[in-house]
């Protein structure tokens, strides 16, 4: 992977001429495909800027005749969407931080320490990767209901923190880290916990970053589990709230599109800012995994 | 080379985390008022109306923390309500269709209504029709307070119907009776609109079928409630008529609920067969329209319908002050149900029904005569508004209206599905 | 966790490769467990326990309403095997998987080939192709239900503008699944695209340079070098995609609610409906378990199939 960044053969002369016809054709094709891919998003934005009656006009109008933010205004005024933003932020942050912490420790434990039952536990972990969370919704809801965790942040968060595959990826990465650094730290009297923090974590920053990004995106976008475990609209996350709660009535396509745009915007911005990390993260996780 | 990026990321994450922690600690404290969380399933015109009524309630009750949420109608709403009751943190009050009461497992999922508090708030048994009140009682306990009744009705666009020559001298639609006059009326409307005569919801055609089948006096379950006694000939007659309407282009072959509303609003259809709850939507749209009882197409006047009630979902820990406030809310809603009736429903609270405020509502009071002829859904744990039986009917009959399957096939599928439900051990 | 501070004796020689060194015997032997414990506890509570209690429930008539609970033995399982809705929804799940996987792999590959080494344009292309992936399911489906809308939706708007007949995508039995697949491809192809892109970028430039010197055309380079070198990635993507597609629920529930006439209802939605809408926790648990077994079998089969190939490729 790291070979990507090596800037080799920069002025390699006429081997690859800069703009040949096929290259231009490919670039044009690529851009056309990109536009097709962006079209639904643009259409959503377009609709959200129309006054409601214009949304259902036939034949359809391509651009709003008099663009207005009225739909956004009413979506925000209804209040719930801000609450859901907050819930999503809390949930996604908690899930990310806890998953990273718990998985890093466990990965270190499996990679570097021995204790009775380690093999059995690791076997269980591998088996856990095979268990799709989707088939657990029924018993897990019952459990949450007896623990009184339905409609709580912990009820949404804790099951999402159990990500055996993350532990597995991190363990494989730790396995590849040379033990020399650790031994040196041990000589200096560092505890093993300290070693995890000051040796393993810095050494595995890219892979931890990848895990963090995907855990965050996954938690922010997770629909099924929060959908099951939240019934109170004020505890819902963005995807669940948008799907279940109605804040307005009558003709409201512009408002629906406005709420969709608002619901999608945060991660689009994050992605635009951190594109390089996301792209690299997928590569790392994919090639390691 | 990537050194700066992780920092940016870290800063962002840390900031978000801090914000999160701050709010985690921040909420949940300082609860001084009695709290009422109300869940309902009112979309469309109803929802808009309820919002106004709630605003008024909040203005008059500054000492209560009131919060209302509308969840998507039908299975999504009922599933969430059941799950919240099972989870122990249910809202203080919710709406429930009367037809769903028994199947909702009131003994475990609902808390009984404290009659003393209700009486203190000024609501007592004589305020309701006995039949309605009795339906709200299960094993001697009152589990629901009825708010309204809502039959299947006929909406008509007065401009279009005037052009079609269907209005009487008083400006009201002339009542028709029998299949042929009914078809003639639709054909006349179609001629004017050039598109459809009536807008219907083909994805959930239960109400229309149940109305027509009821007008033929068809049965459903036997007295034990364990056997299906659908009269095939009558069922097929009703279904066949619906298929014919679609095939002749008098009604759309495929339309979901929003399309039903849209087609009547934009004049693609001059009539609409629907529950009476879209009054507000059409009034807001300044549509020239009125309403009437659905025509008696067959033998007897029967109209599919249901009633909305208030229930107290089961809470693991019930707060007395909240419950008292909740009962006050229910009582207030009943006493002010003339406003609710303006949205189309026939009030259940009889003092309001007799009030001039209600009687002067046009067109809302035009069909109040049908109240005794409202036909509830068959009685079973899987039946009622938005319950599985209606879904099965939708699944089986939508294809018939679209012309993909014959009425016979549709009916067979529906009967098989109903038998399967009957064979399923009841979970309540 | 702060217990974890065994006093280190610096006396032992630091250069030995074996990390086992004399410390307090208790922590040396059991200390590792503390690292695993936090994860282990959560794992036990929120994965292991529900897995077992689900199996247990499948032998009872457990109800969400919390009424009577009776031991049923295998009756839930018997009922399940005779329940046409189980098989129909399982079939829908498989049909969805079969319809969605090929385009999700092929389009991802095409995108990666198009976006690879595009310089500044690359940023825009990566953004456009991957952006839908970061949207929540609800946002995606709100947009697409609107797009598929008869009358004034974008797709039908284009169809009618082009002189074609409208299609009521989501309410027509043999169109609804196609509509869901199109939406899914739009939404999730970005992830596979990035996997391919990473793999493409991992192919050293020299390989192409050498090929170009040998006179290989662009087409030959693509079919003789690029695609063969991507085979391992393709295997990985197919594996990930198959398992992901089998777990379909969100889009279908949100777009068609399993309709029309249950033509799109996936197995997870049937589990949801049985357990929560119809209160039948016990029965839903049995169906969950059956589906769980299907997933395990598919996973193991794939592991056999592609796992072997992976080793050979190395």
């Amino acid at each position: 992977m790291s070979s990507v960044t090596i800037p080799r053969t920069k002025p390699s002369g006429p081997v690859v001429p800069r703009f040949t016809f096929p290259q231009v054709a490919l670039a044009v094709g690529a851009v056309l495909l990109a536009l097709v891919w962006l079209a639904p998003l643009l259409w959503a934005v377009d609709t959200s800027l129309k006054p409601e009656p214009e949304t259902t006009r036939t034949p359809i109008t391509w651009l709003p005749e008099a663009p207005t933010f009225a739909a956004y205004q009413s979506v925000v005024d209804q209040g719930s969407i801000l609450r859901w933003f907050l819930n999503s932020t809390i949930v996604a942050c908690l899930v990310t931080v806890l998953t990273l912490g718990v998985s890093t420790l466990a990965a270190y434990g499996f990679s570097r320490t021995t204790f009775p039952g380690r093999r059995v536990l690791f076997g269980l972990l591998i088996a856990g990767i095979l268990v799709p969370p989707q088939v657990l919704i029924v018993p897990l809801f019952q459990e949450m209901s007896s623990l009184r965790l339905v409609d709580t942040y912990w009820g949404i968060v804790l099951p999402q923190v159990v990500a055996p595959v993350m532990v597995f990826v991190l363990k494989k990465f730790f396995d590849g880290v040379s033990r020399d650094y650790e031994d040196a730290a041990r000589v200096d009297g560092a505890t093993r916990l300290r070693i995890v923090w000051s040796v393993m974590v810095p050494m595995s920053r890219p892979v931890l970053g990848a895990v963090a990004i995907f855990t965050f995106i996954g938690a922010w976008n997770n629909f099924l589990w929060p959908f099951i475990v939240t019934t109170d609209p004020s505890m819902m996350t963005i995807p669940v709230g948008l799907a279940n709660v109605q804040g307005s009535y009558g003709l409201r396509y512009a408002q629906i599109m406005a709420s969709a745009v608002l619901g999608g915007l945060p991660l689009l911005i994050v992605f635009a800012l951190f594109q390089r990390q996301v792209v690299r993260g997928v590569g790392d996780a994919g090639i390691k995994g | 080379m990537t050194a700066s990026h992780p920092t940016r990321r870290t800063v962002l994450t840390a900031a978000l985390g801090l914000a999160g922690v701050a709010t985690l600690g921040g909420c949940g404290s300082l609860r001084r008022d009695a709290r009422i969380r109300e869940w309902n399933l009112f979309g469309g015109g109803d929802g808009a109306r309820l919002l106004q009524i709630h605003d008024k309630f909040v203005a008059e009750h500054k000492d209560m923390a009131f919060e209302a949420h509308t969840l998507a109608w039908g299975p999504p709403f009922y599933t969430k309500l059941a799950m919240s009751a099972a989870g122990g943190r249910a809202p203080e009050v919710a709406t429930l269709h009367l037809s769903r009461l028994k199947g909702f497992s009131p003994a475990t999922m609902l808390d009984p209504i404290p009659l003393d508090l209700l009486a203190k708030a000024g609501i007592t048994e004589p305020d309701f029709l006995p039949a309605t009140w009795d339906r709200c009682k299960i094993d001697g306990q009152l589990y629901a307070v009825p708010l309204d009744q809502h039959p299947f009705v006929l909406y008509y666009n007065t401009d279009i119907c005037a052009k079609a020559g269907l209005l009487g001298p008083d400006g009201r639609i002339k009542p028709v009776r029998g299949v042929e006059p009914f078809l003639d009326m639709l054909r006349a409307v179609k001629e004017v609109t050039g598109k459809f005569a009536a807008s219907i919801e083909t994805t959930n055609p239960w109400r229309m079928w149940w109305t027509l089948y009821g007008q033929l006096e068809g049965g459903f379950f036997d007295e034990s409630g364990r056997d299906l006694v659908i009269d095939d000939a009558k069922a097929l007659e009703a279904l066949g008529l619906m298929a014919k309407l679609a095939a002749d282009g008098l009604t759309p072959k495929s339309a979901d609920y929003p399309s039903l509303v849209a087609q009547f609003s934009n004049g693609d259809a001059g009539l609409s067969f629907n529950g009476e709850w879209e009054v507000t939507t059409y009034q807001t749209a300044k549509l020239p329209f009125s309403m009437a009882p659905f025509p008696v197409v067959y033998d007897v006047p029967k109209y599919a319908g249901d009633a909305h009630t208030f229930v107290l979902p089961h809470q693991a820990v019930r707060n007395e002050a909240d419950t008292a406030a909740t009962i006050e809310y229910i009582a207030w809603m009943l006493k002010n149900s003339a406003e609710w009736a303006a949205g189309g429903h026939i009030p259940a609270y009889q003092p309001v029904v007799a009030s001039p405020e209600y009687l002067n509502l046009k067109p809302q009071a035009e069909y109040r005569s049908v109240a005794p002829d409202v036909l509830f859904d068959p009685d079973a744990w899987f039946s009622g508004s938005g319950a599985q039986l209606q879904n099965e009917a939708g699944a089986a009959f939508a294809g018939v209206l679209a012309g993909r399957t014959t009425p016979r096939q549709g009916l067979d599928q529906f009967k098989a599905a109903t038998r399967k439900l009957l064979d399923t051990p009841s979970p309540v | 966790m702060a217990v974890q501070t065994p006093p280190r004796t610096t006396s032992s020689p630091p250069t030995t490769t074996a990390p086992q060194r004399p410390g307090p015997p208790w922590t040396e032997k059991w200390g590792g467990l503390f690292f695993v414990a936090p994860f282990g506890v959560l794992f036990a509570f929120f994965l292991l326990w529900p897995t077992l209690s689900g199996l247990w429930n499948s032998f009872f008539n457990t109800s969400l309403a919390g009424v009577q609970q009776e031991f049923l033995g295998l009756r839930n399982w018997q009922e399940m095997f005779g329940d046409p809705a189980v098989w129909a929804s399982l079939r829908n799940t498989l049909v969805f998987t079969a319809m969605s996987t090929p385009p999700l792999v092929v389009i991802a590959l095409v995108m990666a080939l198009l976006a690879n080494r595009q310089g500044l344009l690359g940023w825009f292309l990566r953004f456009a192709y991957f952006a839908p992936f970061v949207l929540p399911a609800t946002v995606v489906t709100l947009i697409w239900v609107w797009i598929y809308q008869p009358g004034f939706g974008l797709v039908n708007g284009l169809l009618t503008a082009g002189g074609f007949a409208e299609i009521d995508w989501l309410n027509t039995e043999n169109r609804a699944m196609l509509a869901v697949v199109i939406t899914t491809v739009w939404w999730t192809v970005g992830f596979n695209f990035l996997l391919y892109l990473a793999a493409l970028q991992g192919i050293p430039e020299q390989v192409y340079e050498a090929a170009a010197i040998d006179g290989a055309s662009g087409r030959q380079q693509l079919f003789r070098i690029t695609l063969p070198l991507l085979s391992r990635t393709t295997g990985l993507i197919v594996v990930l995609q198959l398992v992901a597609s089998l777990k379909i629920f969100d889009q279908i529930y949100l777009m068609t609610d399993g309709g029309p006439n249950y033509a799109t209802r996936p197995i997870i939605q049937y589990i949801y409906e049985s357990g929560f809408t119809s209160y039948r926790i016990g029965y839903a648990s049995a169906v969950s378990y059956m589906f769980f077994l299907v997933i395990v079998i598919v996973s193991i089969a794939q592991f056999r199939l592609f796992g072997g190939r992976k080793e050979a490729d190395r």
Side-chain angles (χ1 to χ4, degrees):
Chain A
M1 252 321 285
S2 52
S3 62
V4 190
T5 51
I6 299 173
R8 56 175 318 286
T9 64
K10 232 197 201 155
S12 62
V15 181
V16 187
R18 236 22 196 145
F19 294 112
T20 61
F21 173 72
Q23 271 185 326
V24 172
L26 281 181
V28 169
V31 170
L32 284 179
L33 188 61
L35 292 178
V36 169
W37 237 249
L38 287 177
L41 292 177
L42 298 176
W43 178 240
V45 174
D46 180 53
T47 305
S48 70
L49 295 173
K50 291 176 181 175
E52 289 291 357
E54 197 184 331
T55 58
T56 55
R57 198 175 298 164
T58 48
I60 51 183
T61 54
W62 294 110
L63 287 175
E65 280 157 9
T68 164
F69 282 98
Y72 289 90
Q73 185 71 49
S74 32
V75 165
V76 172
D77 282 349
Q78 283 146 26
S80 294
I81 200 163
L82 298 176
R83 174 79 204 195
W84 299 333
F85 264 121
L86 184 70
N87 290 342
S88 277
T89 309
I90 292 171
V91 165
C93 289
L94 279 176
V95 170
T96 308
V97 170
L98 288 177
T99 305
L100 277 186
V102 161
S103 306
T104 305
L105 287 178
Y108 180 82
F110 282 124
S111 172
R112 288 296 204 271
T113 69
T114 54
F115 52 88
R118 178 173 159 275
R119 277 171 169 275
V120 176
L121 286 185
F122 193 66
L124 261 180
L125 176 100
I126 299 292
I129 295 179
L130 280 180
V131 181
Q134 286 86 346
V135 307
L136 295 182
I137 50 172
V138 173
L140 204 50
F141 176 80
Q142 270 204 305
E143 187 184 346
M144 289 303 177
S145 148
S146 40
L147 291 173
R148 301 289 316 280
L149 287 179
V150 173
D151 284 325
T152 64
Y153 288 124
W154 293 120
I156 310 173
V157 167
L158 290 178
Q160 295 192 66
V161 171
V162 184
V165 75
M166 296 300 181
V167 179
F168 183 73
V169 167
L170 289 176
K171 183 211 176 256
K172 269 187 92 176
F173 187 86
F174 288 171
D175 285 348
V177 173
S178 160
R179 287 172 188 258
D180 295 346
Y181 302 99
E182 264 177 282
D183 289 340
R186 283 200 159 198
V187 174
D188 295 342
T191 65
R192 284 191 289 195
L193 201 57
R194 181 135 211 113
I195 288 172
V196 174
W197 180 249
S198 51
V199 179
M200 299 311 268
V201 169
M203 300 270 319
S204 35
R205 200 172 261 167
V207 72
L208 285 177
V211 168
I213 288 170
F214 282 95
T215 308
F216 189 88
I217 295 182
W220 184 280
N221 287 348
N222 193 351
F223 176 75
L224 183 58
W225 178 243
F227 169 63
I228 299 290
V229 80
T230 56
T231 63
D232 182 349
S234 58
M235 285 306 296
M236 288 175 178
T237 56
I238 283 269
V240 181
L242 285 183
N244 283 278
V245 180
Q246 212 174 315
S248 61
Y249 310 91
L251 203 54
R252 51 191 209 103
Y253 290 109
Q255 284 187 36
I256 292 177
M257 285 307 107
S259 57
V261 171
L262 289 177
L265 209 56
L267 282 197
L268 278 180
I269 292 173
V270 170
F271 173 54
L273 289 179
F274 296 115
Q275 198 202 59
R276 189 199 302 261
Q277 282 76 20
V278 174
V279 172
R280 184 107 58 81
V282 175
D284 280 359
I287 282 167
K288 297 282 180 310
Chain B
M1 59 162 286
T2 52
S4 71
H5 296 290
T7 331
R8 205 173 356 146
R9 187 171 65 223
T10 327
V11 170
L12 182 75
T13 320
L16 290 177
L18 276 178
V21 169
T23 24
L24 267 180
C27 55
S29 58
L30 285 177
R31 216 187 107 196
R32 54 181 207 289
D33 298 339
R35 178 170 68 154
I36 310 172
R37 289 168 301 162
E38 193 263 2
W39 291 7
N40 63 71
L41 41 55
F42 299 122
D46 262 2
R49 176 78 50 180
L50 188 69
L51 213 60
Q52 297 164 9
I53 300 178
H54 278 164
D55 284 346
K56 201 174 144 199
F57 174 80
V58 170
E60 288 180 23
H61 297 80
K62 298 265 189 240
D63 55 330
M64 296 178 190
F66 181 82
E67 189 186 318
H69 289 289
T70 302
L71 292 139
W73 190 91
F77 171 80
Y78 281 112
T79 309
K80 281 270 171 260
L81 187 63
M83 289 170 82
S84 81
R89 292 175 196 264
E92 278 68 41
V93 57
T95 52
L96 189 103
H97 284 102
L98 192 45
S99 62
R100 293 294 296 260
L101 187 60
K102 253 194 229 168
F104 200 74
S105 182
T108 55
M109 305 293 251
L110 299 177
D111 289 333
I113 312 264
L115 285 171
D116 50 335
L117 288 179
L118 199 60
K120 219 172 95 189
I123 305 288
T124 50
E125 188 175 341
D127 296 331
F128 303 92
L129 296 174
T132 320
W133 183 263
D134 288 346
R135 273 191 94 115
C136 296
K137 282 175 93 165
I138 289 175
D139 297 331
Q141 296 265 37
L142 185 73
Y143 281 104
V145 182
L147 171 67
D148 63 29
Q149 206 165 37
H150 50 86
F152 194 68
V153 298
L154 172 71
Y155 294 78
Y156 57 99
N157 182 313
T158 43
D159 287 359
I160 293 173
C161 288
K163 275 188 210 138
L166 297 172
L167 302 189
D170 57 354
R172 294 182 184 166
I173 195 159
K174 287 180 276 188
V176 296
R177 199 174 173 120
V179 178
E180 270 316 309
F182 177 63
L183 287 173
D184 288 342
M185 171 176 85
L186 294 185
R187 289 188 196 113
V189 175
K190 183 180 164 76
E191 211 136 285
V192 176
T193 63
K195 213 156 181 188
F196 300 118
S199 78
I200 61 168
E201 184 186 9
T202 72
T203 48
N204 185 2
W206 166 262
R207 293 189 197 100
M208 172 112 180
W209 180 78
W210 189 232
T211 299
L212 294 173
Y213 184 64
Q215 294 190 349
L216 286 159
E217 296 184 276
F220 203 83
F221 294 128
D222 72 348
E223 293 195 348
S224 72
R226 256 174 260 126
D227 275 313
L228 194 60
V229 292
I230 288 188
D231 183 325
D232 277 20
K234 291 177 177 175
L236 287 175
E237 167 63 35
L239 201 49
L241 179 64
M242 289 161 67
K244 181 182 161 53
L245 296 184
D248 293 355
L250 295 170
T251 59
K253 288 182 172 218
S254 172
D256 57 7
Y257 192 81
S259 311
L260 170 146
V261 176
Q263 283 162 354
F264 187 64
S265 311
N266 66 15
D268 280 356
L271 309 169
S272 184
F273 306 153
N274 190 14
E276 28 62 340
W277 48 73
E278 287 298 349
V279 179
T280 314
T281 306
Y282 302 138
Q283 283 177 339
T284 313
K286 307 238 181 333
L287 198 70
F289 81 106
S290 188
M291 295 154 81
F294 186 78
V296 183
V297 179
Y298 292 112
D299 310 334
V300 295
K302 282 288 172 198
Y303 314 95
D306 207 332
H308 294 125
T309 68
F310 287 114
V311 294
L312 310 181
H314 175 64
Q315 292 183 334
V317 187
R318 199 160 256 295
N319 176 303
E320 260 178 56
D322 291 353
T323 307
T326 303
I327 300 293
E328 223 180 298
Y329 161 78
I330 295 175
W332 188 91
M333 289 296 288
L334 292 184
K335 290 175 191 161
N336 289 275
S337 57
E339 250 169 278
W340 179 239
H345 303 290
I346 304 171
Y349 184 65
Q350 294 303 307
V352 167
V353 177
S355 71
E357 201 188 348
Y358 171 66
L359 294 174
N360 289 335
L361 285 173
K362 296 281 171 323
Q364 294 90 333
E366 302 277 6
Y367 45 81
R368 66 180 191 283
S369 59
V370 305
D373 298 319
V374 167
L375 189 61
F376 278 78
D377 281 10
D379 192 12
W381 66 269
F382 48 79
S383 176
S385 291
Q388 226 176 327
L389 188 70
Q390 287 197 356
N391 288 349
E392 296 293 352
F397 297 166
V400 177
L401 297 186
R404 283 191 301 268
T405 49
T406 64
R408 181 81 252 177
Q409 288 166 325
L411 181 65
D412 286 348
Q413 183 187 330
F414 176 61
K415 282 169 71 178
T418 311
R419 283 212 188 85
K420 189 186 147 200
L421 287 169
L422 276 173
D423 291 343
T424 306
S426 163
V428 299
Chain C
M1 276 311 299
V3 216
Q4 191 50 35
T5 47
R8 281 277 136 246
T9 46
T10 36
S11 58
S12 51
T15 44
T16 42
T17 42
Q20 298 299 337
R21 53 193 73 246
W26 189 82
T27 44
E28 272 313 325
K29 190 168 180 210
W30 291 98
L33 201 54
F34 282 95
F35 287 93
V36 180
F39 179 81
V41 168
L42 291 174
F43 183 89
F45 257 91
F46 300 115
L47 201 143
L48 202 55
W49 173 255
T51 308
L52 298 176
S53 77
L55 184 62
W56 176 259
N57 279 337
S58 73
F59 302 116
F60 290 84
N61 67 348
T62 317
S63 159
L64 183 73
V67 286
Q68 85 283 48
Q69 168 150 335
E70 276 169 50
F71 182 69
L72 291 185
L74 286 173
R75 263 190 289 157
N76 278 333
W77 291 78
Q78 275 168 347
E79 183 187 339
M80 173 178 79
F81 285 112
D83 182 352
V86 168
W87 302 110
S89 53
L90 192 60
R91 206 190 112 244
N92 291 336
T93 304
L94 296 175
V95 166
F96 172 82
T97 307
M99 281 172 77
S100 61
T101 304
L104 279 169
V105 175
V106 173
I107 295 178
L109 175 61
V110 170
M111 284 178 163
L113 291 171
L114 287 175
N116 192 30
R117 307 212 160 97
Q118 287 282 17
L120 264 182
L121 189 58
W123 188 93
F124 169 69
L125 295 177
R126 285 195 301 268
F127 181 82
Y129 297 159
F130 189 74
F133 185 80
V134 303
L135 301 176
T138 315
V139 169
V140 169
T141 53
L142 286 178
I143 294 177
W144 279 86
V145 168
W146 168 236
I147 285 176
Y148 286 132
Q149 187 78 28
F152 28 79
L154 180 62
V155 172
N156 283 319
L158 290 173
L159 282 178
T160 44
F164 296 95
E166 266 193 9
I167 298 174
D168 189 358
W169 291 90
L170 296 173
N171 290 315
T172 311
E173 271 177 54
N174 46 10
R175 289 279 181 277
M177 189 63 97
L178 180 65
V180 172
V181 168
I182 292 172
T183 301
T184 307
V185 170
W186 178 80
W187 181 25
T188 61
V189 76
F191 188 77
N192 296 344
F193 153 71
L194 285 195
L195 286 177
Y196 267 127
L197 193 65
L200 276 180
Q201 293 178 342
I203 300 176
E205 194 87 29
Q206 305 97 298
V207 178
Y208 293 105
E209 282 163 14
I213 289 165
D214 290 348
S217 67
R219 178 187 298 250
Q220 282 170 327
Q221 287 182 18
L222 176 66
F223 285 99
R224 300 266 170 79
I225 303 173
T226 314
L227 294 186
L229 281 175
L230 287 178
S231 67
R232 195 174 89 86
T233 309
T234 304
L236 174 81
I237 290 177
V238 170
V239 169
L240 291 177
Q241 191 56 57
L242 281 176
V243 176
S245 288
L246 283 175
K247 297 175 192 165
I248 172 78
F249 170 78
D250 303 1
Q251 307 95 292
I252 294 185
Y253 175 75
L254 293 167
M255 289 176 78
T256 66
D257 193 17
N261 197 7
Y262 309 112
T264 56
R265 178 169 67 184
I267 188 87
I268 294 187
Q269 189 181 335
Y270 189 60
I271 293 171
Y272 167 77
E273 288 174 0
S274 306
F276 299 119
T277 308
S278 304
Y279 297 180
R280 303 185 68 208
I281 296 272
Y283 185 64
S285 301
V287 181
S288 302
Y289 248 84
M290 188 274 298
F291 181 55
F292 181 21
L293 293 181
V294 170
I295 292 224
V296 168
I297 290 169
V298 171
S299 306
I300 289 174
Q302 285 180 339
F303 189 73
R304 282 274 159 93
L305 231 84
F306 292 103
R309 206 157 100 223
K310 229 193 239 176
E311 290 311 309
D313 266 16
R314 268 179 198 163

